[in-house]
Amino acid sequence: MAFLESSIGVEDLVLLEPLEEESLLKNLQLRYENKEIYTYIGNVLVSVNPYQELSIYGPEFIAKYQDYTFYELKPHIYALANVAYQSLRDQDRDQCILITGESGAGKTEASKLVMSYVAAVCGKGEQVNSVKEQLLQSNPVLEAFGNAKTIRNNNSSRFGKYMDIEFDFKGSPLGGDITNYLLEKSRVVKQLEGERNFHIFYQLLAGADAQLLKALKLERDSSGYTYLNREAPRVDGMDDASNFKALQSAMIVIGFSEEEFRQVLEVTAMVLKLGNVELADEFQANGVPASGIRDGRGVQEIGELVGLNSVELERALCSRTMETAKEKVVTALSVIQAQYARDALAKNIYSRLFNWIVTRINESIKVDTGEKKKVMGVLDIYGFEILEDNSFEQFVINYCNEKLQQVFIELTLKEEQEEYKREGIPWTKVDYFDNGIICDLIEHNQRGILAMLDEECLRPGVVSDSTFLAKLNQLFSKHEHYESKVTQNAQRQYDHSMGLRCFRICHYAGKVTYNVNSFIDKNNDLLFRDLSQAMWKARHPLLRSLFPEGDPKQASLKRPPTAGAQFKSSVAILMKNLYSKNPNYIRCIKPNEHQRRAQFSSELVAVQARYLGLLENVRVRRAGYAYRQAYGAFLEREGVEKVLGDLSMSSEERAFGKTKIFIRSPKALFYLEEQRRLRLQQLATLIQKMYRGWRCRIHYQLMRKSQILISSWFRGNMQRKRYEKMKASALLIQAFVRGWKAQKFLLRLKDNLPSTSILDKTWPAAPYKYFSTANHELQKLFYRWKCKKFRDRLSPKQVETLREKLCASELNPKLQQLKGGEEGPVLVAETVMKVNRGNGKVKAYIPSPPRGLIQSLGQTSSRILLLTKGHVIITDTKNSQPKTVIALDSVARVSVTSFKDGLFSLHLSELSSVGSKGDFLLVSEHVVELLTKMYRAVLDATQRQLPVTVTEEFSVRFKESSVAVKVIQGPGGGGKRKLSCKKKGSRCLEVTVHSTSSVCGERAVPRAGSPILLDHLPWAQSCSTGTMRSTLLFAVILALSLAWSFGAVCEESQEQVVPGGGHSKKDASLHQLPPSLLRRLTDSRLVSLNGLLGVLSRAGTGDMHDFFVGLMGKRNVQPDTPIDVNQENVPSFGTFKYPPSAE
């Protein structure tokens, strides 16, 4: 027993001295506080739940315990699993591992550890690994559908599970079979405060994606479902979303198809939605209470989900059909009865779904071969429960634990006594408490509580829970393990904790009081035939298969067996199975009620130790011989006798069996262990001495052989290290020198930065080659900084000016050939001359024409060209009515001459309505700015570039014919230029550019910025006031205003307007900026069209000046509103109003 050395406390309670409950508890507490959670009682393992992850599991520990016998290492669950597996493999004995304990004691985790150990140590191979993986993956599936959070345990098994793992003759797993017992289906519809429903509901809502939830007609918020407890939607340390993904992968590994998985989720969702079906009071025509669905939407969604007729489902929920051999009677259900029917349906659907899942897992892991098999069973069943309100579920659970305790007592004592008999050891039979009397009280066929419950359920007449309790009181009034209020009163005992509707049973684990409410209903477990038939009619394959009794062809009037009878039969089969196998016990203990680590409640552990019978088990074990071991593990028989004889051990303290030696007293065993320890120390010293001498000799020889080689390699290594050190030093010095040079350059650059002008691109060269890249980046950063600072200083008007200049420079390189082209911005409103399409006459002229020039052309009518974001509009100045509206997508191209004549042609698309009348031949004084704006507008509106051709000969279409236009230079030079058009034949138009002198001198067209007075014009002085509003005078005023405004705008491309209306020189080098910088600085501006049309015919000279200045962005700060245009027809431009006042 090497395990006794350096142990914490006593690792086997059989060796405990003194043998008392207090010392047993202290020993368990001492080991628990040192994270030693396992303790032996002979071959029984006691496990205390640590409520934390311990580093005592995994492949390393599995391999360790696989190579040692039971007592050679510390107590561990792997040791017990290894003994069971080796006994099954080597001795061909079927095994069973019984895991018992309270809820929350760690039974489920213990079963997982046993299965993982067996899976790790058994055979290898592709098929074997597949079987092992399926067996292991069955756990998360069964936990999701069968486990729930309770007050005592966050992952409590609410069903009993017994798994038979089948092996071949080599010990390799072939498959398995799972049997489940009594799922707590009442939890589906109701949970206690602080508890949750089964895990699958929360995993589905948290882990399913939005598309799946929509298909299942569910919402992610769990608080919206009646069947889910709103008080505990989440569990600490449990991730429902990740557990749902693990469930999905586990079902795939087991063999579930995607369609089966989807159908399982649909049935689960149906159970959730059933809880939200609300029932309302209704009354029949005769006044009899009835029920109905409050909101039919829930029933309709259930019908759509599982292919069920919502009308039939509603009828099945709210009525019941009573059928006899001769007739059928349909009875309406009250609200309470309908709610009972709804909950019964939900519980039955979920219970049958769980049974179907277990059956489906068995189909995947079943053994197909007919060869002889070895079986290891693992039992993980609900623990003994004592709650504040114990009902039918706790009654049958405690009955099952009572039967397991009976098996434990009988098999333990029987095996102990049979072993003494086999070894030929004298033995006196030991008496023990037999809990068979309690088992008979519950399960007796004629006079048991279950039999009385079934009899009451089947009895005709008025049956209730009270009549059932009265029958128990009458039958067991003198039973020593049965109590009730009636029996206590008869014995003149007064117990205020005993209710009138309660009875109490003295179990092996203590007294438990049961409330008989709902015992009859839960035992009947009836589902109305109408609901079964409605479920069978569903078009959902899985749901339909869960209710075979709904098939009219298989309908039977025979009453199904009760829940108690079914459970009793299942327990009997389980007991028979356990008796046929060699048992291995794991007794699980819960250290505290709060599931906290490192907290040990002696009172709670003492209660568990009592009803688990730990102290009795130790006493039975020690009644014979406390310790036994095979001779092979000690010495041969003769050697054992010799050793014990030399130690002068009394014959009463030892016994020699046929294959084992038995030690009675723990003191004698401790003495033997002490003598063994001392002898081992002596032997170890001798072995160490011999080994050390041999090792030193070998070591000296090796050192002598390798000394020369080591010396040579050492010298070479030292030189290499010295070289590497010198190299690293040189690199470090170089780095410091380069850093110093860079710092010096940057400091010099800081004090001598280049000019901040954006046109100055000078930059000092890098003094060192390695600094070139960094110097180039610094230059780019500095230049970008200068550009940003320059942009920040620009006004919006300057930005717009630069944008238009940039667009003009990029429009077409041929435009730069124009002689004397203006550098000003684009004009939105422009007075133009129009060449008549029929005879080639000029229809309009530039603003402010000299008198002689107008006379030479004859009387003309004014035309104004307006460019908008989508159209080119030619309008009359007299009545402000548009003459022609041309869409920008109808403008095909533009032809312009290189002379300073302002002549250009708009070539229109033939497919447009306007283009069918012919092209337009126009004359403008600001042709470059106009075409620039038009180019940008076409580009923005149609996403295409407007073709612009600079030529002296081009062709235009006038009406239905094509006319060739030829521009020639006439005689004269300097001053203004005049155009004359002469038509030669029907196919040619010759345009001559003449040079003329100003008729009115320099004052005829004043510079921008100077006031415009009509008195300055000689020809205007002869005009009376009455003719100022005439057409001719208005044209003169409009021309003068346009000329003055355009001149001001051209100058303002390099100036900035001050608030007073004047201009100040600023940024004179603006026009010299490169195109790449202009593109960054420019901006776009919107121009109002309706405002222009409303004022052109009513504006005075000064007002026209302010109008165009505002139009170009100098004063206009407010856009036109619909009220200005539609009601007053008077647009506003900043502080100016049109038409002008009477002054």
Side-chain angles (χ1 to χ4, degrees):
M1 287 186 57
F3 71 93
L4 290 176
E5 299 176 358
S6 66
S7 64
I8 298 174
V10 179
E11 295 181 345
D12 192 339
L13 295 178
V14 174
L15 307 178
L16 184 65
E17 285 290 346
L19 184 56
E20 298 174 354
E21 182 180 280
E22 183 179 358
S23 60
L24 185 146
L25 295 177
K26 287 183 178 180
N27 186 72
L28 291 178
Q29 182 175 2
L30 175 64
R31 294 180 57 77
Y32 178 77
E33 290 173 351
N34 289 274
K35 298 183 179 180
E36 296 289 346
I37 63 173
Y38 296 114
T39 307
Y40 290 145
I41 303 178
N43 57 355
V44 176
L45 180 69
V46 178
S47 172
V48 184
N49 194 341
Y51 293 119
Q52 60 178 315
E53 294 290 337
L54 299 179
S55 57
I56 58 174
Y57 308 104
E60 178 183 355
F61 287 88
I62 290 176
K64 186 176 180 180
Y65 279 87
Q66 184 180 0
D67 299 331
Y68 289 88
T69 59
F70 190 72
Y71 288 104
E72 288 186 286
L73 296 175
K74 293 181 179 181
H76 202 287
I77 194 172
Y78 287 165
L80 183 136
N82 184 59
V83 168
Y85 176 71
Q86 290 182 352
S87 178
L88 175 137
R89 183 190 61 188
D90 302 335
Q91 302 177 18
D92 199 18
R93 297 178 62 188
D94 289 346
Q95 302 289 317
C96 67
I97 299 177
L98 305 180
I99 307 173
T100 57
E102 271 196 15
S103 177
K107 300 185 298 299
T108 301
E109 292 300 321
S111 67
K112 292 181 185 178
L113 292 172
V114 170
M115 292 181 62
S116 63
Y117 179 85
V118 174
V121 300
C122 61
K124 308 294 182 182
E126 182 177 355
Q127 182 177 0
V128 173
N129 291 337
S130 176
V131 172
K132 291 191 294 185
E133 189 66 19
Q134 288 181 339
L135 292 174
L136 294 176
Q137 291 300 323
S138 65
N139 282 325
V141 177
L142 295 178
E143 283 187 16
F145 288 90
N147 288 25
K149 178 190 182 303
T150 64
I151 299 175
R152 299 184 175 184
N153 187 4
N154 289 342
N155 188 31
S156 176
S157 298
R158 307 317 299 164
F159 71 105
K161 179 182 68 174
Y162 178 75
M163 174 182 285
D164 269 334
I165 307 174
E166 300 178 344
F167 300 84
D168 60 9
F169 69 97
K170 298 178 294 183
S172 299
L174 299 173
D177 182 75
I178 299 174
T179 304
N180 64 297
Y181 300 96
L182 191 66
L183 176 72
E184 187 189 13
K185 57 186 178 182
S186 62
R187 180 171 294 273
V188 174
V189 299
K190 184 180 179 181
Q191 307 92 39
L192 297 178
E193 183 179 356
E195 296 189 350
R196 292 205 318 175
N197 210 323
F198 291 101
H199 292 327
I200 181 60
F201 297 115
Y202 304 93
Q203 294 176 4
L204 174 60
L205 297 179
D209 53 35
Q211 184 178 0
L212 178 58
L213 287 179
K214 183 178 180 181
L216 297 177
K217 303 183 184 303
L218 297 176
E219 300 292 337
R220 196 171 298 279
D221 185 11
S222 61
S223 62
Y225 298 96
T226 305
Y227 283 165
L228 301 184
N229 195 338
R230 297 178 175 87
E231 298 176 356
R234 293 180 178 83
V235 179
D236 295 337
M238 185 177 295
D239 188 350
D240 292 323
S242 61
N243 289 341
F244 180 77
K245 296 179 181 178
L247 167 68
Q248 187 173 6
S249 61
M251 295 185 75
I252 294 175
V253 170
I254 293 173
F256 284 80
S257 64
E258 292 186 2
E259 182 63 25
E260 288 176 330
F261 179 70
R262 180 65 175 264
Q263 291 177 6
V264 169
L265 295 184
E266 289 173 348
V267 175
T268 305
M270 177 186 177
V271 174
L272 270 182
K273 298 191 73 63
L274 270 176
N276 289 355
V277 174
E278 297 185 14
L279 299 162
D281 287 313
E282 293 183 359
F283 293 93
Q284 296 181 346
N286 56 2
V288 176
S291 60
I293 304 299
R294 188 183 302 275
D295 185 3
R297 180 182 176 185
V299 177
Q300 184 177 1
E301 289 182 350
I302 293 175
E304 295 173 357
L305 183 63
V306 296
L308 188 63
N309 190 333
S310 59
V311 177
E312 292 186 0
L313 177 58
E314 181 176 356
R315 183 170 58 248
L317 288 173
C318 300
S319 62
R320 179 183 180 184
T321 302
M322 304 294 293
E323 184 176 355
T324 63
K326 298 182 179 180
E327 62 179 352
K328 293 182 180 180
V329 178
V330 179
T331 305
L333 300 178
S334 65
V335 172
I336 296 178
Q337 293 172 334
Q339 290 174 350
Y340 172 83
R342 177 199 63 190
D343 293 344
L345 176 61
K347 292 187 292 185
N348 272 271
I349 291 176
Y350 191 83
S351 176
R352 299 184 186 201
L353 173 64
F354 184 78
N355 293 335
W356 181 88
I357 291 175
V358 173
T359 304
R360 180 65 181 82
I361 294 175
N362 287 335
E363 291 177 359
S364 298
I365 64 177
K366 66 180 179 181
V367 180
D368 297 329
T369 60
E371 60 180 308
K372 183 180 179 181
K373 300 177 289 292
K374 305 175 183 180
V375 179
M376 175 184 288
V378 180
L379 177 64
D380 175 18
I381 204 162
Y382 18 59
F384 196 88
E385 291 188 351
I386 304 177
L387 305 179
E388 293 182 2
D389 185 14
N390 301 284
S391 186
F392 178 77
E393 291 82 7
Q394 283 69 42
F395 176 73
V396 294
I397 287 174
N398 294 340
Y399 159 62
C400 179
N401 281 271
E402 198 77 50
K403 294 291 292 183
L404 291 175
Q405 178 69 9
Q406 185 182 27
V407 173
F408 173 74
I409 294 174
E410 290 184 1
L411 292 181
T412 301
L413 294 178
K414 181 180 180 180
E415 177 63 24
E416 185 84 10
Q417 298 180 70
E418 286 184 353
E419 184 178 18
Y420 294 143
K421 187 176 180 180
R422 287 195 306 267
E423 294 290 334
I425 304 298
W427 173 254
T428 301
K429 184 178 180 181
V430 177
D431 294 329
Y432 56 90
F433 169 74
D434 186 2
N435 67 338
I437 186 173
I438 303 176
C439 296
D440 288 341
L441 172 65
I442 299 174
E443 67 178 1
H444 193 276
N445 291 333
Q446 283 79 30
R447 298 177 58 84
I449 295 178
L450 288 177
M452 295 298 101
L453 183 61
D454 290 345
E455 180 180 329
E456 195 68 12
C457 291
L458 299 175
R459 182 174 64 84
V462 178
V463 177
S464 66
D465 298 319
S466 299
T467 59
F468 165 65
L469 179 60
K471 180 173 290 187
L472 294 183
N473 293 333
Q474 179 182 1
L475 187 61
F476 304 114
S477 59
K478 297 182 180 181
H479 198 288
E480 58 180 335
H481 293 279
Y482 176 87
E483 296 178 6
S484 68
K485 198 70 173 177
V486 175
T487 61
Q488 288 179 350
N489 292 336
Q491 299 174 5
R492 299 193 177 187
Q493 298 177 356
Y494 300 97
D495 185 359
H496 298 287
S497 63
M498 178 71 71
L500 294 175
R501 299 178 60 83
C502 299
F503 67 92
R504 181 179 296 161
I505 296 179
C506 299
H507 289 281
Y508 76 96
K511 295 182 178 181
V512 183
T513 303
Y514 300 99
N515 192 327
V516 296
N517 287 336
S518 303
F519 259 61
I520 298 295
D521 291 338
K522 292 179 180 180
N523 187 55
N524 277 325
D525 193 24
L526 294 178
L527 181 68
F528 296 152
R529 186 177 292 107
D530 303 70
L531 294 172
S532 299
Q533 293 176 353
M535 295 301 103
W536 186 83
K537 293 178 182 178
R539 294 188 296 275
H540 194 275
L542 176 56
L543 182 62
R544 182 186 179 96
S545 66
L546 299 180
F547 293 88
E549 73 276 12
D551 187 358
K553 297 180 181 179
Q554 301 181 8
S556 175
L557 299 180
K558 183 179 179 181
R559 187 184 183 92
T562 62
Q566 294 180 24
F567 186 73
K568 177 182 174 182
S569 176
S570 300
V571 170
I573 296 174
L574 174 63
M575 296 301 110
K576 183 179 179 181
N577 199 350
L578 296 180
Y579 279 119
S580 65
K581 296 179 174 61
N582 182 50
N584 301 270
Y585 292 97
I586 301 176
R587 314 291 266 178
C588 297
I589 293 179
K590 181 169 61 174
N592 60 80
E593 290 284 6
H594 309 290
Q595 304 179 30
R596 296 176 181 173
R597 63 179 66 182
Q599 183 175 339
F600 191 91
S601 174
S602 300
E603 295 79 7
L604 179 63
V605 176
V607 172
Q608 298 175 75
R610 291 190 198 106
Y611 71 70
L612 288 175
L614 299 185
L615 199 60
E616 289 77 7
N617 191 12
V618 175
R619 287 171 178 165
V620 169
R621 187 77 174 178
R622 293 180 60 172
Y625 292 89
Y627 174 73
R628 67 215 65 192
Q629 191 175 35
Y631 293 125
F634 196 92
L635 289 173
E636 295 297 333
R637 182 185 178 91
E638 293 77 6
V640 173
E641 293 178 350
K642 178 65 175 174
V643 169
L644 296 181
D646 293 342
L647 293 175
S648 302
M649 179 176 288
S650 172
S651 59
E652 296 179 358
E653 294 292 330
R654 55 178 169 78
F656 298 101
K658 297 179 181 179
T659 61
K660 297 179 182 180
I661 180 173
F662 293 82
I663 307 297
R664 181 182 298 276
S665 172
K667 294 182 180 179
L669 179 62
F670 292 149
Y671 173 73
L672 289 176
E673 287 299 320
E674 181 65 18
Q675 295 298 319
R676 175 178 175 274
R677 186 182 63 81
L678 295 175
R679 185 56 182 164
L680 287 177
Q681 288 182 355
Q682 296 174 1
L683 295 175
T685 303
L686 178 62
I687 293 172
Q688 289 176 359
K689 180 181 70 173
M690 300 301 296
Y691 174 76
R692 288 170 181 169
W694 171 81
R695 185 65 182 268
C696 288
R697 286 191 297 272
I698 296 298
H699 182 64
Y700 169 75
Q701 293 174 1
L702 291 176
M703 290 179 63
R704 185 176 182 182
K705 291 179 182 179
S706 58
Q707 188 272 337
I708 299 175
L709 180 62
I710 293 174
S711 298
S712 61
W713 277 99
F714 177 77
R715 295 190 186 96
N717 185 52
M718 289 296 292
Q719 292 299 322
R720 282 192 295 272
K721 288 184 177 180
R722 184 170 178 270
Y723 167 75
E724 293 293 338
K725 187 175 181 180
M726 293 176 63
K727 182 178 179 181
S729 300
L731 293 177
L732 181 61
I733 293 172
Q734 290 178 0
F736 272 102
V737 171
R738 289 175 180 171
W740 174 77
K741 290 181 178 181
Q743 183 180 13
K744 185 177 179 181
F745 168 72
L746 294 176
L747 291 175
R748 188 186 305 114
L749 181 63
K750 172 186 175 183
D751 300 331
N752 299 280
L753 284 174
S755 171
T756 57
S757 174
I758 60 175
L759 300 179
D760 185 5
K761 295 187 178 180
T762 60
W763 186 260
Y768 317 109
K769 183 178 180 181
Y770 67 88
F771 201 62
S772 300
T773 303
N775 188 52
H776 182 64
E777 293 296 328
L778 286 174
Q779 181 181 3
K780 292 196 295 184
L781 289 174
F782 182 72
Y783 185 72
R784 292 176 180 174
W785 174 79
K786 291 195 299 184
C787 292
K788 182 180 182 305
K789 299 296 289 185
F790 182 80
R791 288 197 306 270
D792 294 342
R793 293 196 304 267
L794 295 179
S795 65
K797 177 58 184 177
Q798 288 175 317
V799 173
E800 176 64 20
T801 302
L802 294 177
R803 185 187 300 276
E804 293 170 351
K805 287 187 176 184
L806 173 63
C807 185
S809 65
E810 294 179 347
L811 176 61
N812 194 324
K814 293 183 179 182
L815 289 179
Q816 299 178 3
Q817 302 174 9
L818 297 177
K819 302 178 178 61
E822 295 285 349
E823 289 286 339
V826 177
L827 300 177
V828 176
E830 171 74 337
T831 302
V832 298
M833 295 187 300
K834 177 185 176 187
V835 179
N836 189 286
R837 299 181 181 180
N839 52 20
K841 299 287 186 176
V842 179
K843 301 297 290 182
Y845 195 53
I846 59 176
S848 302
R851 179 183 297 182
L853 186 58
I854 294 178
Q855 291 174 353
S856 65
L857 293 176
Q859 185 173 354
T860 62
S861 59
S862 178
R863 294 289 187 271
I864 296 177
L865 186 144
L866 301 176
L867 177 63
T868 68
K869 294 176 66 175
H871 298 81
V872 176
I873 304 173
I874 299 176
T875 182
D876 191 358
T877 60
K878 295 181 179 180
N879 51 17
S880 301
Q881 295 296 324
K883 293 294 186 180
T884 305
V885 180
I886 306 171
L888 291 181
D889 56 0
S890 300
V891 180
R893 58 190 178 87
V894 176
S895 296
V896 62
T897 70
S898 61
F899 296 105
K900 189 179 178 182
D901 53 1
L903 181 66
F904 67 95
S905 174
L906 293 179
H907 300 277
L908 307 183
S909 173
E910 296 182 5
L911 299 178
S912 63
S913 59
V914 179
S916 62
K917 299 179 181 180
D919 300 337
F920 286 86
L921 190 58
L922 306 172
V923 180
S924 172
E925 190 171 325
H926 302 86
V927 64
V928 175
E929 291 80 354
L930 180 61
L931 294 185
T932 300
K933 191 66 177 183
M934 186 178 299
Y935 175 85
R936 290 179 58 190
V938 171
L939 181 62
D940 293 339
T942 64
Q943 304 300 319
R944 66 181 179 88
Q945 296 182 351
L946 177 64
V948 179
T949 305
V950 180
T951 179
E952 277 68 45
E953 295 184 2
F954 52 88
S955 177
V956 297
R957 290 185 299 106
F958 283 165
K959 294 185 178 179
E960 297 180 355
S961 61
S962 178
V963 177
V965 177
K966 182 178 181 182
V967 182
I968 61 177
Q969 178 69 48
K976 293 290 182 178
R977 297 182 182 273
K978 183 183 70 172
L979 300 179
S980 63
C981 301
K982 183 178 181 181
K983 197 169 184 180
K984 295 185 177 181
S986 60
R987 298 285 182 174
C988 182
L989 178 64
E990 184 178 274
V991 179
T992 303
V993 181
H994 299 281
S995 175
T996 62
S997 299
S998 176
V999 177
C1000 300
E1002 292 298 328
R1003 296 180 62 187
V1005 183
R1007 289 181 70 254
S1010 60
I1012 301 178
L1013 301 176
L1014 292 180
D1015 297 340
H1016 295 168
L1017 302 178
W1019 50 272
Q1021 296 174 356
S1022 61
C1023 298
S1024 62
T1025 305
T1027 61
M1028 287 296 289
R1029 295 294 180 177
S1030 65
T1031 302
L1032 179 58
L1033 182 57
F1034 177 77
V1036 173
I1037 294 172
L1038 181 59
L1040 288 174
S1041 300
L1042 285 173
W1044 194 93
S1045 177
F1046 291 162
V1049 168
C1050 293
E1051 286 187 3
E1052 287 169 2
S1053 64
Q1054 299 180 12
E1055 297 177 2
Q1056 183 169 350
V1057 179
V1058 297
H1063 304 80
S1064 61
K1065 291 291 183 177
K1066 188 175 182 180
D1067 298 333
S1069 61
L1070 192 61
H1071 64 285
Q1072 301 175 2
L1073 297 179
S1076 61
L1077 186 57
L1078 287 174
R1079 188 180 300 107
R1080 300 179 184 176
L1081 303 177
T1082 53
D1083 193 3
S1084 61
R1085 179 178 295 277
L1086 300 177
V1087 179
S1088 173
L1089 172 62
N1090 297 332
L1092 295 175
L1093 296 178
V1095 303
L1096 291 180
S1097 63
R1098 297 190 298 274
T1101 304
D1103 296 321
M1104 284 299 294
H1105 161 251
D1106 290 335
F1107 167 77
F1108 281 101
V1109 171
L1111 180 64
M1112 298 311 296
K1114 300 303 179 179
R1115 292 183 175 178
N1116 185 17
V1117 295
Q1118 298 180 353
D1120 293 333
T1121 62
I1123 298 178
D1124 293 331
V1125 177
N1126 299 332
Q1127 296 181 4
E1128 299 179 6
N1129 199 21
V1130 179
S1132 62
F1133 293 85
T1135 59
F1136 300 96
K1137 292 288 183 177
Y1138 293 91
S1141 61
E1143 295 178 2

